């Protein structure tokens, strides 16, 4: 996936150490995601998109789980 690091930043999770601690991912996996070497899970992408679009866990979450503007750049 392109622009994963930008999506993390838009969701407010740009601090790598805190992101790794919260998700349980390894540093190697996060580096692969950030450098477009691996595809993140759909659940992780959906959560980050909801957070980036300003909606965490609400009734309209399915509408907010659309790609964020940062993902559309350079596509």
């Amino acid at each position: 996936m392109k622009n994963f690091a930008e999506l993390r930043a838009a969701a407010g999770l740009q601090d790598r150490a805190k992101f790794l601690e919260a998700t349980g991912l390894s540093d190697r996996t996060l580096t692969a995601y950030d450098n477009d070497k691996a595809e993140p899970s759909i659940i992780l992408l959906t959560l980050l998109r909801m957070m980036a679009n300003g909606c965490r866990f609400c009734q309209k979450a399915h509408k907010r789980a659309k790609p964020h503007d940062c993902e559309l750049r350079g596509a």
Side-chain angles (χ1 to χ4, degrees):
M1 170 198 171
K2 299 248 185 236
N3 303 325
F4 184 79
E6 289 181 42
L7 180 60
R8 272 193 313 112
L13 301 169
Q14 60 271 18
D15 184 355
R16 288 180 62 90
K18 289 182 181 177
F19 185 79
L20 292 173
E21 183 179 328
T23 59
L25 293 174
S26 69
D27 187 45
R28 184 177 183 178
T29 300
L30 183 57
T31 300
Y33 291 166
D34 284 349
N35 294 323
D36 303 327
K37 303 281 186 203
E39 193 69 24
S41 70
I42 298 297
I43 293 172
L44 180 58
L45 286 179
T46 301
L47 178 63
L48 290 177
R49 286 174 179 156
M50 287 191 315
M51 292 173 71
N53 288 323
C55 181
R56 292 193 184 248
F57 299 103
C58 67
Q59 294 174 346
K60 297 181 182 177
H62 62 282
K63 292 181 181 177
R64 295 289 186 179
K66 62 182 176 144
H68 188 264
D69 294 338
C70 72
E71 294 180 75
L72 304 176
R73 280 187 261 134

